[in-house]
């Protein structure tokens, strides 16, 4: 039973355009959400996060939006660059929770 | 800092053999996590330690899997006997404090192939 769902296994976007990666969660106790980025033959690295008290967090080209009522979050990358081609994992954790629950990941391809 | 170190990077073994994966966390990090990545299940948590003590091993798939952390700078994940379905990439990660405001730092992973 997947508590964090990334329903798109892959996504292709033209360079310079906006990339939107989506994530849904089922556990209403989750209060902190993260995105990790993973290149081939490397471990995942932290990208950006958002607390449930916010609905938006921005860091340069990356913005994460949180819709608590819909239990949905999304990662926007604007503009998309070739180096953004990677697998993106959505993750969530709960109050006083030591664990992070990851989704299956979405592979993003930035096309030249 | 060298980051989280894992060895070996690649392991190919035959069904029934014992496999030991190793991890050195970042110095000063009190938490250590073992994950497994597969196409079907994504990135799943197997077990994690706090100050060398196993806290939650509910993600360990079966008794064939075991993990130890004899000291703050070393952990092992052992599979005995190994089976082809254990083929996956195994990651180790560490963090200072796994609360919501901290992040986990991952090693490069060990790609395990069981023939």
């Amino acid at each position: 039973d997947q508590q964090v769902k990334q329903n798109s296994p892959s996504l292709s976007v033209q360079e310079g355009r906006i990339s939107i990666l989506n994530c849904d969660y089922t556990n209403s106790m989750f209060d902190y959400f993260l995105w990790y980025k993973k290149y081939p033959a490397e471990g995942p690295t932290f990208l950006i996060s958002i607390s449930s008290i916010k609905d938006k967090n921005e860091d340069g080209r990356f913005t994460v939006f949180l819709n608590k009522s819909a239990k949905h979050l999304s990662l926007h990358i604007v503009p998309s660059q070739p180096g953004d081609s990677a697998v993106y994992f959505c993750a969530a954790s709960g109050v006083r929770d030591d664990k992070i629950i990851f989704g299956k990941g979405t592979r993003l391809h930035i096309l030249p | 800092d060298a980051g989280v170190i894992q060895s070996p990077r690649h392991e190919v073994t035959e069904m029934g053999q014992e496999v030991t994966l190793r991890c050195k966390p970042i110095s000063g990090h009190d938490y250590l996590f073992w994950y497994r990545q597969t196409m079907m299940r994504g990135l799943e948590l197997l077990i994690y330690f706090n100050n060398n003590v196993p806290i939650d091993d509910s993600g360990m798939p079966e008794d064939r899997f075991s993990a130890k952390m004899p000291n703050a700078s070393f952990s092992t994940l052992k599979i005995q006997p190994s089976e082809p379905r254990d083929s996956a990439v195994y990651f180790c990660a560490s963090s200072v404090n796994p609360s919501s405001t901290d992040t986990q730092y991952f090693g490069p992973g060990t790609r395990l192939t069981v023939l």
Side-chain angles (χ1 to χ4, degrees), chain A residues 2 31-32 34 36 38 41-46 87 89 93-100 102-105 107, chain B residues 9 31 33 35 37 39-43 45 48 55-56 58 91 98-104 106-109:
Chain A
Q2 287 266 308
D31 69 341
Y32 195 71
L34 311 92
Y36 277 74
K38 184 187 176 305
E42 295 182 12
T45 55
F46 171 75
V87 176
F89 289 98
S93 66
V95 178
R96 294 183 295 277
D97 201 346
D98 293 344
K99 299 190 293 190
I100 296 176
F102 285 85
K104 290 186 178 182
R107 184 177 298 276
Chain B
R9 291 296 308 275
Y31 286 81
F33 304 83
Y35 291 89
Q37 184 192 6
M39 289 293 291
M40 289 295 294
R41 302 177 67 87
L43 197 58
L45 178 66
Y48 75 94
I55 302 301
D56 185 346
S58 60
F91 291 102
S99 70
S100 301
T101 56
D102 195 26
T103 187
Q104 295 181 15
F106 282 77

Side-chain angles (χ1 to χ4, degrees), chain A residues 14-70:
Chain A
Q14 207 76 33
E15 181 179 356
R17 298 290 188 103
I18 182 172
S19 294
I20 300 176
L21 294 90
N22 293 303
C23 177
D24 298 294
Y25 62 96
T26 58
N27 190 340
S28 58
M29 298 302 291
F30 287 151
D31 69 341
Y32 195 71
F33 304 89
L34 311 92
W35 286 92
Y36 277 74
K37 178 179 180 179
K38 184 187 176 305
Y39 291 119
E42 295 182 12
T45 55
F46 171 75
L47 182 60
I48 191 170
S49 62
I50 187 167
S51 164
S52 60
I53 62 173
K54 292 185 168 184
D55 55 16
K56 176 182 173 181
N57 189 27
E58 196 171 348
D59 183 2
R61 297 185 297 113
F62 302 90
T63 302
V64 55
F65 295 92
L66 176 62
N67 182 333
K68 290 186 289 293
S69 61

Side-chain angles (χ1 to χ4, degrees), chain B residues 15 18 40 42 47 55 58 65 68 72 87 94 102 107-108 110:
Chain B
M15 183 174 63
E18 177 180 299
M40 289 295 294
I47 185 172
I55 302 301
S58 60
F65 286 69
K68 294 182 180 179
S87 297
S94 70
D102 195 26
T110 295

Side-chain angles (χ1 to χ4, degrees), chain B residues 3 14 32 46 48 52 55 62 65-67 76 81 86 101:
Chain B
E14 293 188 345
L32 184 140
L46 302 177
Y48 75 94
N52 313 337
I55 302 301
E62 335 177 355
F65 286 69
S66 63
T76 60
D86 301 330
T101 56

Side-chain angles (χ1 to χ4, degrees), chain B residues 16-59:
Chain B
Q17 297 297 305
E18 177 180 299
V19 174
T20 299
L21 312 182
R22 297 172 176 78
C23 174
K24 175 179 169 55
I26 294 172
S27 176
H29 284 193
D30 293 332
Y31 286 81
L32 184 140
F33 304 83
W34 281 102
Y35 291 89
R36 178 172 67 175
Q37 184 192 6
T38 61
M39 289 293 291
M40 289 295 294
R41 302 177 67 87
L43 197 58
E44 53 180 340
L45 178 66
L46 302 177
I47 185 172
Y48 75 94
F49 296 82
N50 177 23
N51 290 324
N52 313 337
V53 176
I55 302 301
D56 185 346
D57 65 353
S58 60

